[in-house]
Amino acid sequence: MSTPESFGRGDDLIEEITASDPEEIVGRGPWELFWVRFREDKVALASFGVVVFVALVAILAPWIVKLVAHPPNAQYPDLLDQTFGTPTGPSWHMLFGVDTVGEDVFSRVLYGARVSLEVALIATFFSVLIGVVLGMIAGFYRGVVDTLVSRFLDVMLAFPVLLLAIGIAAACSLGNGCLGGLVKPGLPTVIVTITIVNWTYIGRIIRGQVLSLREKEFVEAARASGAKDSTILFREILPNLVAPIVVYSTLIIPSNILFEAALSYLGVGINPPQASWGEMIAEATPVFNTAWWFFAFPGAALLITCLAFNLLGDGIRDALDPREAQ
Amino acid sequence: MTTENHESVGTAPRAQGSGGGPLPALGRAFRGLANFVNSSLFRYVVRRILWGVVLLVIVSALTFIIFYLFPSADPARLRAGRNPNPAAVAAIRHSLNLDKPVYLQYWLYMKNLVLHFDLGFSYYNQQAVRTQIFQRLPVTAELALGAFVLWMLIGIPIGIISAIRPRSVLDRMTMSGSLVAISAPVYWLGLVALFLFAKDIGIIHLLPGSGSYVAITKDPGAWFGSMILPWFVLAASFAAFYARMVRAQVRETMSEDFIRTARAKGLSERRVIFRHGLRAALTPVVTMAGLDLSGLLGGAILTETVFNIPGVGRYAYDAIVNADFPPIQGTVLFSAFFIITANIIVDVIYAFLDPRVRY
């Protein structure tokens, strides 16, 4: 856990610097220290590279597809096996083969990256936002608000998460969506579902951190010098929450990617014709023994993307809190 | 231990056994019970159980509201068959109490549940939900328990070895391997496993594949074979997660003062690790394991789907897709019950073991 004490520490680093350069002791801010440590971590750098690559692929998907592949929803029935009507495998013409209706798996994997990242980033943003706001209020003001938030967290903890998510997603996936058409089927439904389920995770962590931070001397000092609650919350406490927020956000992203894929796999997330990795795996399931490319490529894309985010999150955590890394 | 201690410990069972006759023993037991009832631990347990019951009521009410407000289809129409006429739909709606206000529906449901332990009947195939859940619960429990044993047997030793030899080749390999397992979706792992090892369609014809589940009472051998792939697939990400957690815990514990003290006393490293370190390090892991296992008892939807295993998760999923409300409510209640119970047990054991826990 990164506490304010550990944040700027990095004893090892200071030793290293002083050993090599005894005259020049440079003062370094916590972010500078973070960057120095992060730069050393080859795995974290590489995973950051993969994340950037996946993001670029997602953004540039329409152009890449135009250059080397086919539109994601164009169907080429003549590419299906002429006798059995089954999908055909990878070739120069179709890099990742075709699926059961003759669509280009390669283009659909690229477009799937868009859905995955879009859902994961937006849902992560909202979960973190709600979690941080409610967690801070509950932890700082205690009392009734804290009781309400904590009890709500208790209830959410008791709920079978996936069932709840499937329920919400299934309800909103039909017709005009739910809440009077406010939440439309498809992307919005998935994002809302994941946010509802996921904010409690970060909310619990932030609440705990704030509970201990509000008792620290620097908060007491701020209060003694007449600072308002809002000043204490935003100027004193929030900066100390940045490290855990960054770390947990990075680690929530892959779990949200998997969540979206799971919902789509179960048929209550993103539905065809839109491409999503989870949905593709679901469609590939009935033919998986004959058309390995149809489930292998979307799955590999999921695996690589989540792995990169997980490694990146680990790297960021180690760089922010060197005690964990050693 | 001194002889004195031995004596004082020895008296209690003797008196209970044959020495003082049944009446004093009963009195002592009763006094012990009275003491326990008066203790704060007991009050804590009672409070936790009451709160657990409240939680169950809230969860059931929330489920009711969620699925009442956003049903994925109209249950009455679903039951009326193809091309229903409005009168028939209305009649069905009335017979299912769906025309009553939601609080009355909830009241009727809870009344039946509390008085008769009746979870209602499926809208879809008219079967009793309780019977269905009890039929499927053992299947899910078999899946969950098997995976649990596997992931503990794999995860804990790997975590310990990695923690003791940090930055070794083994540590690096297992830790990066574990991240791969955590990043892979379980249903995809299932497909890969089937593609490689399924007896009927796999590259290596090794193990029974999807839909091969046989009840253990019918054919234990076939049952075991059919569960091997699902167990491994379900356990994979858990094992990875536990290996990482155990590693972190052990490393943290091994840098504590009492470990330094143990080393300073001249104990062998093996003794320091196994007698002092692991005891402290593994407590939170065991807690976590209890909670995870209880979470799985509510159904492993994805794994059950890939391997076509007739468990609770599959039942719940089918119910949601069919807008079949009673099974949804029943399975949600059951999983919530498992989660809440496990939480209470874990917290009470903690409170019992660690007097610093506030209660």
Side-chain angles (χ1 to χ4, degrees):
Chain A
M1 244 352 72
S2 344
T3 54
E5 284 92 345
S6 73
F7 192 56
R9 214 195 235 166
D11 295 334
D12 58 322
L13 202 80
I14 293 167
E15 253 166 51
E16 216 178 272
I17 293 164
T18 42
S20 59
D21 222 343
E23 260 108 83
E24 247 183 284
I25 297 173
V26 216
R28 285 170 197 266
W31 292 111
E32 253 176 292
L33 282 173
F34 164 75
W35 177 239
V36 170
R37 286 191 213 107
F38 188 77
R39 221 171 35 194
E40 301 278 293
D41 190 343
K42 288 195 190 70
V43 177
L45 279 181
S47 54
F48 182 66
V50 175
V51 167
V52 171
F53 173 75
V54 175
L56 281 178
V57 164
I59 295 166
L60 301 176
W63 290 278
I64 302 175
V65 162
K66 207 171 271 175
L67 280 176
V68 297
H70 314 80
N73 291 320
Q75 299 181 355
Y76 302 89
D78 50 315
L79 285 177
L80 296 174
D81 189 282
Q82 289 310 312
T83 6
F84 301 107
T86 48
T88 49
S91 63
W92 280 115
H93 183 53
M94 291 280 178
L95 291 173
F96 289 177
V98 298
D99 65 11
T100 40
V101 290
E103 292 167 328
D104 186 345
V105 174
F106 179 72
S107 329
R108 292 184 72 76
V109 169
L110 293 197
Y111 271 83
R114 297 194 128 191
V115 170
S116 259
L117 289 190
E118 220 172 309
V119 170
L121 293 179
I122 300 175
T124 304
F125 174 78
F126 282 117
S127 336
V128 169
L129 188 71
I130 299 174
V132 168
V133 170
L134 288 184
M136 276 177 80
I137 295 175
F140 189 73
Y141 289 106
R142 313 278 296 272
V144 186
V145 191
D146 187 27
T147 313
L148 279 178
V149 173
S150 308
R151 290 295 161 260
F152 188 76
L153 290 174
D154 272 3
V155 173
M156 290 295 288
L157 195 75
F159 242 107
V161 171
L162 195 54
L163 276 185
L164 176 68
I166 295 172
I168 300 172
C172 297
S173 290
L174 291 161
N176 248 344
C178 55
L179 286 178
L182 200 67
V183 183
K184 296 250 178 297
L187 273 182
T189 293
V190 178
I191 291 170
V192 167
T193 305
I194 296 179
T195 306
I196 291 176
V197 172
N198 239 340
W199 74 267
T200 53
Y201 174 66
I202 195 115
R204 199 183 308 273
I205 291 162
I206 296 296
R207 175 180 168 270
Q209 296 266 321
V210 175
L211 271 180
S212 82
L213 281 173
R214 74 192 288 276
E215 308 296 337
K216 289 268 154 54
E217 286 86 350
F218 63 89
V219 173
E220 217 172 302
R223 192 167 283 137
S225 57
K228 283 181 298 182
D229 279 357
S230 57
T231 318
I232 296 177
L233 266 174
F234 289 104
R235 301 290 297 269
E236 306 291 336
I237 291 182
L238 191 57
N240 283 297
L241 294 175
V242 171
I245 291 174
V246 171
V247 171
Y248 285 105
S249 305
T250 331
L251 292 174
I252 286 177
I253 291 173
S255 81
N256 282 350
I257 291 177
L258 289 178
F259 209 144
E260 180 273 320
L263 288 178
S264 300
Y265 171 76
L266 291 172
V268 291
I270 309 295
N271 287 316
Q274 200 170 8
S276 147
W277 293 336
E279 173 265 310
M280 292 175 76
I281 296 176
E283 275 190 71
T285 304
V287 294
F288 80 94
N289 54 326
T290 49
W292 59 268
W293 53 91
F294 192 14
F295 79 88
F297 288 115
L302 263 174
L303 178 63
I304 291 168
T305 311
C306 292
L307 183 61
F309 272 108
N310 274 325
L311 286 169
L312 180 64
D314 264 16
I316 292 178
R317 191 196 49 215
D318 291 348
L320 283 173
D321 188 0
R323 281 185 311 177
E324 286 256 328
Q326 284 143 39
Chain B
M1 215 180 259
T2 61
T3 36
E4 225 176 61
N5 255 334
H6 263 298
E7 299 272 299
S8 65
V9 170
T11 44
R14 211 186 305 145
Q16 232 171 21
S18 55
L23 271 180
L26 208 69
R28 235 190 317 275
F30 185 73
R31 227 174 301 133
L33 194 70
N35 276 339
F36 178 65
V37 168
N38 277 325
S39 71
S40 51
L41 179 65
F42 176 74
R43 269 183 305 214
Y44 174 71
V45 173
V46 169
R47 216 169 54 224
R48 283 307 311 259
I49 291 175
L50 286 179
W51 173 234
V53 173
V54 173
L55 268 180
L56 273 178
V57 173
I58 296 175
V59 165
S60 64
L62 268 180
T63 319
F64 226 91
I65 292 168
I66 290 170
F67 289 95
Y68 184 83
L69 286 182
F70 325 116
S72 52
D74 181 354
R77 181 166 289 172
L78 211 80
R79 224 182 165 189
R82 264 172 220 276
N83 307 319
N85 65 12
V89 173
I92 291 171
R93 197 180 308 260
H94 182 74
S95 74
L96 294 176
N97 285 327
L98 288 169
D99 51 351
K100 297 196 169 60
V102 64
Y103 60 87
L104 204 62
Q105 288 187 38
Y106 181 63
W107 168 248
L108 289 172
Y109 181 84
M110 287 312 267
K111 205 171 82 181
N112 278 335
L113 175 62
V114 174
L115 294 181
H116 312 294
F117 193 41
D118 176 8
L119 290 165
F121 294 86
S122 158
Y123 294 157
Y124 199 67
N125 55 16
Q126 285 82 10
Q127 292 192 315
V129 172
R130 190 181 63 180
T131 325
Q132 286 280 305
I133 290 182
F134 277 130
Q135 238 168 46
R136 285 155 174 268
L137 207 53
V139 181
T140 294
E142 290 157 12
L143 176 64
L145 276 172
F148 173 79
V149 171
L150 261 182
W151 93 59
M152 294 298 262
L153 284 181
I154 299 170
I156 292 180
I158 288 183
I160 293 172
I161 296 169
S162 303
I164 295 171
R165 304 248 176 285
R167 319 229 143 199
S168 63
V169 179
L170 189 95
D171 177 34
R172 279 159 194 273
M173 271 173 52
T174 52
M175 285 305 117
S176 21
S178 70
L179 266 186
V180 174
I182 288 173
S183 306
V186 64
Y187 44 93
W188 185 71
L189 271 188
L191 282 186
V192 174
L194 286 172
F195 184 75
L196 294 177
F197 303 119
K199 216 176 228 166
D200 39 1
I201 44 183
I203 292 179
I204 308 164
H205 302 284
L206 194 65
L207 293 161
S210 178
S212 60
Y213 179 81
V214 190
I216 186 171
T217 43
K218 261 192 202 146
D219 184 350
W223 167 82
F224 188 79
S226 73
M227 293 301 273
I228 293 177
L229 281 181
W231 279 334
F232 270 97
V233 166
L234 179 58
S237 67
F238 281 104
F241 181 76
Y242 275 70
R244 294 174 69 81
M245 185 166 67
V246 167
R247 180 181 183 272
Q249 289 288 344
V250 172
R251 286 185 59 74
E252 202 179 309
T253 310
M254 292 310 280
S255 64
E256 300 245 3
D257 289 343
F258 73 90
I259 294 295
R260 194 168 43 184
T261 311
R263 283 198 179 119
K265 283 198 300 189
L267 296 183
S268 68
E269 188 65 21
R270 176 187 296 265
R271 208 178 159 80
V272 171
I273 292 168
F274 283 95
R275 292 297 293 266
H276 295 256
L278 289 189
R279 233 180 238 193
L282 292 186
T283 319
V285 177
V286 172
T287 310
M288 194 73 200
L291 298 181
D292 277 338
L293 179 63
S294 73
L296 280 180
L297 286 178
I301 298 179
L302 294 166
T303 312
E304 288 174 17
T305 303
V306 176
F307 289 101
N308 207 355
I309 296 171
V312 181
R314 194 64 217 165
Y315 184 53
Y317 173 69
D318 289 342
I320 288 174
V321 172
N322 294 329
D324 193 358
F325 183 70
I328 300 176
Q329 179 71 294
T331 42
V332 167
L333 272 181
F334 258 89
S335 355
F337 172 77
F338 286 128
I339 297 171
I340 291 169
T341 311
N343 261 300
I344 294 176
I345 293 173
V346 161
D347 283 355
V348 168
I349 290 176
Y350 250 79
F352 185 69
L353 292 179
D354 189 344
R356 287 170 305 180
V357 172
R358 205 159 40 126
Y359 51 75

